[in-house]
Amino acid sequence: MNLKPLLLSAAMMALSANALAAVSGADAARLGADLTPMGAEKAGNAAGTIPAWTGGITTPVAGFKAGGHYPDPFPSEKAKFEITGANMAQYAANLTPGQQALLKKYPTWKMKVYPTQRSAGYPKAIYDATKANATRVNLVSGGNGFTGASVGVPFPIPKTGVEPIWNHIVAYRGDTFDVNTTQVAVTREGDYTPVRFEYSYDFHYNNLKKSEAQREKNKVTNFMQTVTAPARLAGQILLVHEYADQIANPRSAWTYNPGQRRVRLAPNVAYDNPGVAADGLRTNDDFTLFNGATDRYDWKLVGKKEIYVPYNSYRLNSAKLKVADLVRPGHINPEHARYELHRVWVVDATLKSGTSHIYQRRTFYIDEDSWNILAVDKYDARGQLWRVAEQHSQQFYDIPGIGPGVEVHHDLQSGRFLAMGMTNEESTVYVRTNRSASDFSPSSLRGAGTR
């Protein structure tokens, strides 16, 4: 794959997930020096196609209104070139196997490549905590969680494959907020029924509005998902409590069914059980490209690579477009997607012997500037590439931080795809809220389902 060598010794590469993860003070001192405060390489690349990081976009751009859609900071930029099935060999060194498979399968798919903008930027409190975390955060046994931090990136200088995954899981996306989105499971012919969701998040890890005493110990987030349309699904609610040390506190989940008016424990909301209303096109742990427990895989930190990834996808999330403008047979409308060349961490996950999952192997491509997973290649039990997912992210400059936009999961075998996180037809996009722990308790579900 022509991987860029890691900043790791052979001994470090051999460390298991059981090893301590903290780095030396000398290594931590690099954060904010030759590394960004988040752990990325501050310098651009030798070819000049990736610029140096200069702080990102951390203040709202002209025209932004709190809660509303995010104006494009780069409205006049044009694509430098387009990658298609016909010319992809020219760019293969900077494409994932999944991207190449999509270009081969769909003659109508293309990737419009724009100038690289290192727009990721975060609050100073996140930077300060990240530097402190570098020397004090450790993985728990087996790598299924971590201890030693409640704010910041836990592993800004990763040594093992599971560490960038945890950086992604707890990435800063704000404090307590609501998001409304639309999801479509698209047939080979391009047909779909929109499913609308209301999401509520109450982060404890990385919550800059809560004091240490107000944050529940070990809690990452309280998450509530409510289906509001179509009518046959409306009123279904999923509540999840997620934790950092999943040995001490495994995920807890509950569901509310409006027909039965019952709240039930939902231990199956994990791993490879089907996602809500996804028509079998994603698993529970596919949400945001990966979430939940890490214990069914062996994680290998492969290295860094320069890849064309979805980035600064403001046009795809524009209020000027409708859901119908984004959906095409086989894929989203490529005219509205934006790709840029970025350095990503490559992490390979292989299913452990004695465990089960529909994906035998997964390869993750993780943005060095934000620790968000931007692309995943997923393989079946035969070792064949089966599904390909991409996260068309954008910088939410009022938070500030990189957040998910339109999330797309392709099934290469069926020719179908799932598109999630579309906010185009929503009147509000990201709304800060004030909620208490009782709002995310199982007893609150019945009342929420009958609003």
Side-chain angles (χ1 to χ4, degrees):
M1 294 177 65
N2 191 29
L3 291 172
K4 180 176 180 177
L6 284 169
L7 302 175
L8 303 168
S9 69
M12 286 180 176
M13 290 292 286
L15 286 173
S16 72
N18 293 316
L20 298 182
V23 302
S24 69
D27 283 340
R30 298 177 59 201
L31 298 168
D34 64 303
L35 301 180
T36 74
M38 298 288 278
E41 295 173 50
K42 186 179 288 187
N45 64 356
T49 49
I50 296 176
W53 182 81
T54 57
I57 306 175
T58 56
T59 57
V61 304
F64 172 74
K65 295 182 179 179
H69 287 80
Y70 286 77
D72 188 349
F74 318 108
S76 61
E77 284 191 347
K78 306 296 182 184
K80 299 193 299 180
F81 55 89
E82 297 180 353
I83 305 173
T84 67
N87 69 359
M88 71 175 185
Q90 178 182 347
Y91 304 101
N94 303 112
L95 297 171
T96 72
Q99 290 172 332
Q100 295 180 58
L102 290 173
L103 290 164
K104 288 178 182 177
K105 185 174 180 67
Y106 300 111
T108 51
W109 177 243
K110 62 183 178 181
M111 298 167 62
K112 300 179 71 172
V113 178
Y114 289 77
T116 297
Q117 301 287 351
R118 295 183 70 178
S119 52
Y122 291 86
K124 184 176 183 296
I126 297 296
Y127 294 153
D128 291 345
T130 296
K131 190 165 188 175
N133 290 345
T135 57
R136 69 186 182 192
V137 177
N138 295 310
L139 292 168
V140 301
S141 177
N144 197 29
F146 63 91
T147 60
S150 61
V151 178
V153 177
F155 306 107
I157 305 175
K159 299 185 294 185
T160 68
V162 75
E163 293 171 26
I165 300 298
W166 280 113
N167 290 347
H168 161 79
I169 290 172
V170 301
Y172 180 70
R173 298 183 177 96
D175 305 307
T176 304
F177 57 91
D178 291 349
V179 181
N180 301 328
T181 72
T182 296
Q183 170 181 295
V184 293
V186 185
T187 69
R188 292 172 64 97
E189 295 73 29
D191 298 322
Y192 60 90
T193 298
V195 180
R196 186 176 180 274
F197 294 92
E198 293 180 356
Y199 293 105
S200 293
Y201 293 86
D202 178 37
F203 277 90
H204 285 242
Y205 191 96
N206 268 342
N207 194 309
L208 301 182
K209 301 298 183 183
K210 295 181 190 290
S211 67
E212 189 70 29
Q214 291 173 316
R215 298 189 199 114
E216 185 177 333
K217 186 177 180 181
N218 195 34
K219 177 71 68 70
V220 172
T221 187
N222 297 318
F223 165 77
M224 188 180 297
Q225 176 196 72
T226 304
V227 182
T228 61
R232 62 182 174 83
L233 301 176
Q236 295 183 22
I237 305 176
L238 169 65
L239 172 65
V240 175
H241 293 179
E242 197 79 274
Y243 298 90
D245 179 350
Q246 298 203 352
I247 301 297
N249 298 102
R251 168 185 283 180
S252 298
W254 301 262
T255 57
Y256 173 77
N257 185 303
Q260 299 174 341
R261 292 184 56 78
R262 294 189 64 180
V263 177
R264 295 179 180 272
L265 277 168
N268 61 331
V269 178
Y271 300 113
D272 57 355
N273 287 292
V276 176
D279 210 11
L281 291 169
R282 75 162 178 89
T283 63
N284 274 299
D285 62 7
D286 273 332
F287 186 68
T288 69
L289 303 197
F290 188 84
N291 73 95
T294 62
D295 58 339
R296 293 194 180 180
Y297 287 92
D298 290 317
W299 302 86
K300 179 182 178 182
L301 189 60
V302 179
K304 274 191 188 178
K305 192 176 182 184
E306 295 177 2
I307 294 287
Y308 295 114
V309 289
Y311 221 94
N312 292 309
S313 302
Y314 297 93
R315 298 179 189 181
L316 195 62
N317 291 276
S318 171
K320 296 177 182 179
L321 301 174
K322 304 292 186 184
V323 170
D325 297 321
L326 302 186
V327 179
R328 296 291 182 268
H331 51 75
I332 60 173
N333 189 336
E335 294 299 333
H336 306 305
R338 175 182 175 123
Y339 288 83
E340 300 178 5
L341 186 68
H342 284 260
R343 286 185 293 248
V344 297
W345 288 98
V346 181
V347 173
D348 210 39
T350 305
L351 189 64
K352 287 181 178 179
S353 176
T355 64
S356 64
H357 201 290
I358 63 172
Y359 304 137
Q360 179 70 26
R361 177 179 157 224
R362 296 153 113 164
T363 303
F364 297 88
Y365 303 89
I366 306 169
D367 177 31
E368 70 164 347
D369 285 332
S370 68
W371 299 105
N372 279 264
I373 300 172
L374 300 179
V376 189
D377 294 339
K378 297 173 274 189
Y379 297 80
D380 63 18
R382 301 167 300 169
Q384 300 297 309
L385 184 61
W386 176 14
R387 291 177 172 174
V388 179
E390 291 188 319
Q391 182 68 261
H392 294 261
S393 61
Q394 58 187 356
Q395 172 73 357
F396 291 84
Y397 30 69
D398 61 322
I399 296 172
I402 291 278
V406 179
E407 179 179 322
V408 186
H409 297 263
H410 292 273
D411 189 310
L412 295 172
Q413 296 174 12
S414 70
R416 302 190 61 197
F417 74 97
L418 177 76
M420 309 168 57
M422 293 180 287
T423 59
N424 309 80
E425 298 181 37
E426 298 293 338
S427 58
T428 57
V429 175
Y430 181 104
V431 180
R432 291 179 170 87
T433 59
N434 291 308
R435 297 188 186 276
S436 66
S438 63
D439 294 324
F440 294 91
S441 66
S443 61
S444 72
L445 292 190
R446 182 171 300 188
T450 56
R451 287 179 296 177

